[in-house]
């Protein structure tokens, strides 16, 4: 959680006067406080987890009003996580934790989730790395899930400060070997205790039968075939052991060029058109080799392009689409909007929210991805063309776009099991380099690109716009993004199926060794209890059997505030924010040239695309048919639950969609409970009056960003900066403007 006012605190040998006033001498804190924390809080270790270092009497700042307050406890570092063990009276008063993760505590940070570590020296915040000559009095940890932790080491013994700071830096920044991942320690220690979830029916695409099932489901088995030519990874270590190709393609053609130049099937449309992907051949300078490659490409192209029966449109994503560098740069800027150190910083940057959001280009990249997916869909759906995606290794943007197309076109992919199977097929078996793209081995920051997170953000836009079409919720997407950094699941910790199989021991020559049984992230029971898993299921999901085909589009919610950039000024009202002069000038800028790159005018879109796009949006929505998002500027929004959940100032106590959702869940559980009683024919008055096991109680107490933020204990009054603001008007007018400008209800 955020520690208010930590930046600007002291460090080094000369400590500034803290705003936190202690009436207990440090030596008394060392004795008394240590006894309390050790007595009431214990360190829970997973199988195979080992304690590396720890420090006592550490103060973890929490935000409340305008003071620096905190909780004393132990700060520990294991080979799995950094954890703070404190006697948090607020957490204890809160009672029931309704969305508790069984693997990760509220104050736990996996080593893979650490993004940046700062120390405060002489009132200046500096990045910590390598060997330190002096040690900070305050430690600030920025996490990849956008949490920010502040720890005060002023009352900690000097030797313990050195151990914990050096230990955290070493175990979060030093590059490691694959076999040194905690994933293997956990799998080895829990070998006899791990059991797969019987309710998990996700198709893993690890067998030829799985691919044949998918071909049959999509009616693609007429023109395409599942092949086992890569069993034992004889052809390529990048490709899965089994995949699908056009029926006329010969095995000898697949064995050339080490897995490049193979048109791999992704999905078939109801009209017979298909989506394919192919990795480009490596660039060669030798003329003879180039001629062989050209001849091979011509042969492949003739197989998949046979007009007028089979027409193929090629999309070269390496040269005509977003680059990985653009994605990396945009997200680096975007995430800084949410890594807030204190309340003053939050309100200081609030006036620049629009310009900072636009300058990051993250929403623009999301819009471009959705637009490109719609263009591909238009080719397949309206023009009945096959589409071939080309990329250097067909493992980044190919995964992204092929998955988006299937989510929009195939209602099965909008169910929980269907979506999980889609990720298995296109990302895990498709060879997306999760190990490199998430930088799990900390070997190269240049390779770290959040392509999968970009995909989840694009899917969130669809969930937000067409909620009844999805069986899962935004909470499901949020915890899935968090699971990228939990190294007990194998799903997101390998670059390819070959790498996973090799390191699991499946190809080990030692017949006595037993292959490791690695957990999959789709076993949600490992992380959440059944009641908590209810929050992953959408109560508004429209099942096909219950679908009213005459139903119009879902109700549009009123609040559309700052989570998107404006297209046009909706009102000429002078009350456009906290302060008239600054916000009026800001909006004029945004509605001018600077906004033009974010929003495509109708003239810039191809005629076919615009006609297809407008035609679909003019008709009633079939939640079990084709689903297209709106891609105009204001429709692309910030995924508030994921990005704002740790910022208290951005939350609305008792507000937002969570209030409605909680009531729906309560009613669903009550109806389910009564139905079970009727079925069992227990009609006693006592049974009927029994309380329904509601997952969400007292919705008025919940934050708008539930379940990741419950009660807010900070003051709702903003800490306004003293510089940069002009005339402050009376309190009543300011409140009205706050309600009008800072409306985060649309989450």
């Amino acid at each position: 959680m955020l520690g208010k006012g930590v930046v600007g605190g002291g460090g080094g040998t000369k400590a500034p006067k803290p705003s936190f006033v202690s009436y207990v001498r440090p030596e008394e804190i060392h004795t008394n406080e240590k006894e309390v924390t050790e007595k009431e809080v214990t360190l829970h270790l997973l199988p195979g987890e080992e304690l590396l270092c720890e420090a006592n009497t550490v103060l973890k700042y929490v935000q409340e009003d305008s003071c620096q307050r905190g909780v004393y406890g132990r700060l520990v570092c294991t080979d799995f996580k950094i954890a703070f063990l404190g006697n948090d009276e607020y957490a204890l008063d809160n009672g029931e934790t309704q969305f508790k993760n069984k693997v990760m505590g509220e104050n736990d940070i996996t080593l893979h989730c650490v993004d940046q570590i700062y120390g405060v020296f002489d009132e200046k915040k500096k990045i910590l790395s390598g060997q330190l000559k002096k040690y900070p009095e305050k430690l600030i940890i920025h996490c990849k899930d956008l949490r920010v932790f502040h720890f005060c080491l002023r009352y900690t013994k000097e030797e313990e400060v050195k151990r914990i700071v050096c230990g955290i830096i070493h175990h979060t920044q030093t590059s490691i070997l694959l076999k040194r991942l905690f994933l293997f320690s956990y799998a080895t220690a829990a070998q006899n205790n791990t059991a797969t979830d019987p309710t998990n029916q996700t198709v893993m695409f690890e067998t030829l039968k799985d691919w044949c099932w998918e071909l049959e489901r999509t009616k693609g088995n007429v023109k395409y075939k599942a092949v086992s030519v890569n069993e034992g990874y004889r052809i390529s270590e990048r490709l899965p052991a089994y995949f699908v190709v056009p029926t006329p393609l010969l095995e000898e053609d697949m064995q050339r060029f080490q897995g490049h130049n193979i048109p791999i099937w992704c999905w078939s449309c109801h009209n017979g058109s298909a989506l394919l992907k192919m990795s480009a051949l490596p660039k060669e300078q030798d003329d003879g080799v180039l001629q062989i490659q050209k001849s091979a490409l011509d042969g492949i192209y003739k197989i998949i392009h046979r007009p007028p029966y089979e027409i193929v449109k090629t999309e070269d994503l390496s040269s005509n689409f977003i680059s990985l560098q653009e994605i990396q740069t945009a997200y680096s800027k975007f995430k800084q909007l949410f890594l807030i150190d204190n309340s003053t910083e939050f309100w200081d940057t609030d006036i620049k929210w629009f310009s900072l959001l636009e300058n990051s280009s993250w929403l623009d990249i999301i819009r471009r991805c959705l637009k490109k997916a719609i263009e591909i869909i238009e080719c397949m759906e309206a023009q009945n063309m096959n589409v071939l995606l080309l990329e250097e290794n067909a493992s980044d943007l190919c995964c992204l776009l092929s998955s988006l197309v299937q989510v929009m076109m195939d209602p099965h992919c909008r169910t929980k099991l269907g979506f999980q199977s889609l990720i298995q097929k296109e990302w895990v078996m498709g060879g997306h380099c999760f190990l490199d793209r998430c930088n799990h081995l900390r070997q190269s920051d240049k390779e770290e690109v959040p392509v999968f997170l970009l995909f989840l953000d694009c899917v969130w836009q669809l969930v937000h716009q067409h909620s009844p079409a999805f069986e899962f919720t935004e909470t499901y997407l949020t915890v899935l993004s968090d699971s990228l950094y939990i190294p007990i699941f194998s799903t997101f910790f390998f670059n390819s199926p070959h790498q996973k199989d090799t390191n699991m021991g499946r190809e080990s020559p030692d017949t006595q060794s037993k292959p490791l049984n690695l957990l999959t992230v789709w076993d949600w029971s490992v992380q959440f209890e059944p009641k908590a898993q209810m929050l992953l299921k959408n109560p508004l999901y429209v099942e096909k059997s219950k679908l009213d085909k005459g139903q119009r589009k879902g109700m549009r919610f009123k609040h559309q505030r700052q989570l998107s950039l404006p297209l046009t000024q909706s009102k000429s009202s002078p009350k456009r924010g906290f302060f008239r002069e600054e916000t009026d000038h800001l909006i004029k800028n945004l509605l001018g040239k600077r906004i033009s790159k974010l929003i495509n005018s109708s003239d810039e879109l191809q005629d076919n695309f615009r006609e297809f796009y407008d035609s679909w949006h003019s008709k009633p929505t079939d939640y079990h048919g084709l689903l297209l998002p709106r891609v105009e500027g204001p429709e692309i929004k910030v995924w508030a639950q994921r990005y704002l959940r740790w910022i208290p100032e951005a939350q609305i106590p008792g507000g937002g969609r969570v209030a409605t959702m909680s009531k729906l869940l309560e009613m669903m559980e009550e109806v389910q409970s009564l139905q079970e009683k009727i079925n069992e024919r227990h009609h006693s008055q006592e049974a009927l009056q029994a309380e329904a096991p509601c997952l969400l109680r007292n919705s008025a107490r919940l934050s708008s960003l539930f379940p990741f933020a419950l009660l807010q204990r900070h003051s709702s009054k903003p800490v306004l900066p003293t510089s940069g603001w002009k005339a402050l008007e009376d309190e009543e007018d300011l409140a009205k403007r706050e309600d009008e400008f800072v409306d985060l209800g649309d989450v």
Side-chain angles (χ1 to χ4, degrees):
M1 305 298 275
L2 297 176
K4 196 175 219 178
V6 172
V7 176
T13 57
K14 183 179 179 181
K17 184 178 179 180
S19 59
F20 176 85
V21 179
S22 173
Y23 296 97
V24 184
R25 294 193 304 274
E27 54 269 24
E28 293 180 8
I29 294 175
H30 275 292
T31 56
N32 298 339
E33 208 50 65
K34 185 175 179 180
E35 291 176 4
V36 173
T37 53
E38 287 184 350
K39 180 179 178 181
E40 299 189 5
V41 183
T42 57
L43 175 63
H44 298 286
L45 299 175
L46 294 176
E49 184 178 5
E50 296 181 0
L51 176 64
L52 302 175
C53 53
E54 63 179 312
N56 294 291
T57 326
V58 174
L59 177 66
K60 172 183 172 287
Y61 285 116
V62 295
Q63 187 162 343
E64 181 169 333
D65 299 325
S66 58
C67 302
Q68 288 187 2
R69 303 189 184 184
V71 178
Y72 278 105
R74 292 162 56 206
L75 183 61
V76 305
C77 180
T78 73
D79 55 351
F80 169 61
K81 65 178 180 284
I82 301 166
F84 177 77
L85 311 173
N87 181 20
D88 192 342
E89 58 184 279
Y90 297 114
L92 295 175
D93 290 344
N94 190 35
E96 53 183 335
T97 303
Q98 296 164 342
F99 196 62
K100 181 180 179 181
N101 191 308
K102 298 193 298 185
V103 176
M104 299 298 301
E106 181 182 358
N107 294 319
D108 293 348
I109 316 165
T110 66
L111 301 181
H112 297 281
C113 193
V114 174
D115 190 25
Q116 199 68 266
I117 301 174
Y118 298 90
V120 178
F121 300 88
D122 299 326
E123 301 186 19
K124 293 181 180 179
K125 188 175 77 170
K126 299 179 181 179
I127 294 177
L128 299 182
S129 62
Q131 297 292 328
L132 301 181
K133 294 182 179 180
K134 68 175 183 177
Y135 297 88
E137 285 194 355
K138 294 181 182 178
L139 195 66
I140 303 174
I141 300 178
H142 286 188
C143 304
K144 293 182 180 180
D145 61 5
L146 305 182
R147 288 180 295 168
V148 178
F149 287 87
H150 297 257
F151 300 107
C152 176
L153 306 174
R154 183 178 293 119
Y155 306 113
T156 309
K157 292 179 180 179
E158 184 178 354
E159 286 303 315
E160 293 184 1
V161 171
K162 291 181 180 179
R163 279 199 301 268
I164 194 67
V165 172
C166 291
I168 289 175
I169 292 174
H170 176 77
H171 293 289
T172 59
Q173 296 181 0
T174 306
S175 61
I176 59 175
L177 299 174
L178 177 62
K179 279 288 191 178
R180 299 290 295 173
L181 286 173
F182 179 74
L183 174 73
F184 296 100
S185 300
Y186 179 82
T188 303
Q191 187 74 350
N192 298 323
N193 298 324
T194 54
T196 56
D197 183 1
T199 63
N200 177 29
Q201 302 296 323
T202 302
V203 181
M204 305 302 287
F205 291 97
E206 295 177 342
T207 66
L208 191 64
K209 182 180 178 181
D210 290 343
W211 289 97
C212 292
W213 176 87
E214 180 72 355
L215 270 176
E216 186 176 348
R217 186 187 69 81
T218 59
K219 305 296 188 292
N221 48 359
V222 176
K223 302 177 182 178
Y224 299 89
K225 63 182 179 182
V227 296
S228 58
V229 67
N230 199 38
E231 271 187 336
Y233 305 100
R234 298 190 302 267
I235 294 178
S236 171
E237 295 181 356
R238 296 182 305 100
L239 297 177
Y242 311 99
F243 50 88
V244 175
V245 296
T247 301
L249 191 64
L250 301 177
E251 183 173 326
E252 60 188 41
D253 293 328
M254 289 183 267
Q255 293 177 343
R256 304 171 70 182
F257 307 116
Q258 292 76 47
H260 294 277
N261 208 36
I262 301 177
I264 296 177
W265 173 89
C266 298
W267 184 78
S268 287
C269 184
H270 62 87
N271 61 11
S273 62
L275 180 64
L276 305 105
K277 62 182 178 182
M278 185 167 73
S279 59
L281 288 166
K283 295 180 181 179
E284 294 284 351
Q285 301 298 325
D286 185 86
D287 291 338
V289 176
L290 284 173
Q291 189 61 38
I292 295 174
Q293 290 183 351
K294 184 178 182 302
S295 175
L297 275 173
D298 290 342
I300 295 294
Y301 193 68
K302 288 177 182 178
I303 290 175
I304 59 179
H305 182 73
R306 295 176 295 167
Y309 307 106
E310 297 284 337
I311 301 176
V312 172
K313 179 182 179 182
T314 301
E315 289 281 357
D316 188 351
L317 304 179
S318 296
S319 58
N320 299 324
F321 194 48
I322 304 165
S323 69
L324 296 181
Q325 179 63 48
E326 285 181 87
I327 297 173
Q328 184 186 58
T329 303
Y331 186 70
S332 294
K333 294 179 181 178
F334 179 73
K335 70 181 180 182
Q336 295 305 319
L337 299 177
F338 311 102
L339 291 168
I340 304 296
D341 281 339
N342 52 65
S343 292
T344 302
E345 182 180 334
F346 175 84
W347 294 107
D348 246 342
T349 57
D350 187 67
I351 189 64
K352 300 180 288 185
W353 169 259
F354 273 146
S355 58
L356 293 172
L357 182 59
E358 183 196 1
N359 289 337
S360 74
S361 299
W362 182 253
L363 296 186
D364 181 43
I365 286 177
I366 292 172
R367 183 188 61 80
R368 290 165 66 185
C369 290
L370 292 171
K371 179 177 173 290
K372 176 62 71 173
I374 296 173
E375 290 175 358
I376 294 170
I377 290 170
E378 189 273 334
C379 290
M380 297 176 65
E381 180 80 15
Q383 301 186 41
N384 199 18
M385 297 171 61
N386 295 332
V387 177
L388 177 65
L389 304 177
L390 280 176
E391 193 183 11
E392 183 177 354
N393 288 315
S395 60
D396 287 304
L397 298 175
C398 276
C399 300
L400 172 72
L401 286 174
S402 64
S403 300
L404 278 179
V405 167
Q406 291 174 66
V407 169
M408 294 183 199
M409 297 190 75
D410 190 345
H412 174 70
C413 296
R414 302 195 285 266
T415 65
K416 182 181 172 184
L417 290 177
F419 186 71
Q420 293 174 175
S421 300
L422 172 69
I423 293 174
Q424 279 292 138
K425 180 179 69 169
E426 296 297 334
W427 294 85
V428 179
M429 306 309 293
H432 180 66
C433 299
F434 284 105
L435 203 61
D436 295 339
R437 294 293 175 248
C438 298
N439 199 18
H440 287 317
L441 300 182
R442 301 185 286 274
Q443 293 181 344
S444 174
D445 291 339
K446 294 181 180 179
E447 295 293 321
E448 185 173 1
V449 185
V451 183
F452 186 70
L453 178 60
L454 175 60
F455 164 66
L456 294 181
D457 208 331
C458 290
V459 173
W460 179 86
Q461 305 293 331
L462 287 160
V463 170
H464 180 78
Q465 294 184 28
H466 303 289
S467 180
F470 291 85
E471 188 183 24
F472 50 86
T473 62
E474 67 169 341
T475 302
Y476 169 87
L477 294 174
T478 302
V479 297
L480 183 57
S481 71
D482 291 342
S483 300
L484 280 168
Y485 310 110
I486 303 179
I488 66 171
F489 306 110
S490 64
T491 310
F492 304 129
F493 277 82
F494 292 103
N495 282 338
S496 66
H498 169 264
Q499 188 183 56
K500 177 182 177 181
D501 289 349
T502 302
N503 287 280
M504 282 176 62
R506 290 182 179 175
E507 295 186 350
S508 173
D510 182 7
T511 56
Q512 301 297 323
S513 63
K514 182 180 179 182
L516 291 176
N517 183 24
L518 301 180
L519 290 176
T520 171
V521 74
W522 314 126
D523 289 341
W524 292 108
S525 60
V526 175
Q527 295 192 65
F528 303 107
E529 297 291 351
K531 279 190 177 183
Q533 291 184 54
M534 287 288 292
L535 289 169
L536 310 182
K537 185 175 182 180
N538 181 14
L540 301 179
Y541 176 60
V542 179
E543 295 184 21
K544 192 168 185 179
S545 59
K546 301 177 182 178
L547 181 65
D548 177 8
K549 294 191 177 181
Q551 182 179 359
R552 301 295 296 181
K553 297 177 187 177
M555 177 178 63
R556 293 188 180 276
F557 289 84
K558 176 182 178 182
H559 305 301
Q560 302 236 354
R561 186 249 176 188
Q562 323 313 329
L563 302 183
S564 61
L565 289 169
L567 178 59
T568 57
Q569 190 170 353
S570 58
K571 294 182 181 179
S572 58
S573 168
K575 299 181 179 182
R576 291 293 299 170
F578 283 132
F579 308 98
R580 180 182 296 117
E581 185 173 341
E582 284 78 10
T583 52
D584 282 355
H585 178 69
L586 174 64
I587 291 173
K588 287 176 183 177
N589 284 338
L590 283 170
L591 297 177
K593 295 180 180 179
R594 292 168 55 217
I595 196 74
S596 61
K597 68 178 182 180
L598 190 78
I599 303 163
N600 271 350
S601 66
S602 57
D603 294 338
E604 293 174 335
L605 298 173
Q606 297 120 353
D607 292 338
N608 289 341
F609 172 84
R610 173 54 65 180
E611 182 181 354
F612 178 74
Y613 178 83
D614 290 341
S615 174
W616 187 89
H617 282 287
S618 67
K619 299 173 183 176
T621 302
D622 178 2
Y623 290 124
H624 285 269
L626 176 63
L627 201 68
L628 299 184
R630 290 196 174 275
V631 295
E632 292 82 6
E635 300 294 341
I636 304 301
K637 301 181 183 298
V638 173
W639 182 0
Q641 187 192 68
R642 185 184 194 277
Y643 300 122
L644 293 170
R645 55 185 160 155
W646 312 121
I647 305 178
E649 292 79 8
Q651 299 163 11
I652 307 171
R657 290 188 175 184
V658 68
T660 303
M661 190 68 70
S662 65
K663 291 298 181 184
L664 284 170
L665 286 171
E666 286 179 12
M667 287 190 291
M668 287 178 61
E669 290 180 341
E670 186 174 359
V671 169
Q672 183 179 0
S673 177
L674 291 173
Q675 184 64 52
E676 290 174 357
K677 291 170 184 175
I678 292 173
N679 293 340
E680 295 172 3
R681 298 185 179 181
H682 291 164
H683 298 295
S684 66
Q685 188 67 22
E686 180 181 354
L688 287 173
Q689 289 180 350
E691 180 185 0
C694 295
L695 176 66
L696 303 179
R697 296 182 176 88
N698 302 323
S699 60
R701 298 173 67 244
L702 302 179
S703 158
S704 58
L705 298 180
F706 179 84
F708 301 98
L710 298 174
L711 288 173
Q712 293 310 313
R713 303 184 291 271
H714 68 287
S715 170
S716 59
K717 182 180 179 180
V719 182
L720 295 176
T722 56
S723 61
W725 303 102
K726 298 293 175 76
L728 292 178
E729 296 163 303
D730 60 78
E731 194 172 304
E732 182 179 354
D733 188 42
L734 185 64
K736 290 179 181 178
R737 293 192 177 204
E738 179 177 358
D739 181 63
E740 183 179 2
F741 189 73
V742 189
D743 184 359
L744 290 171
D746 189 13
V747 297

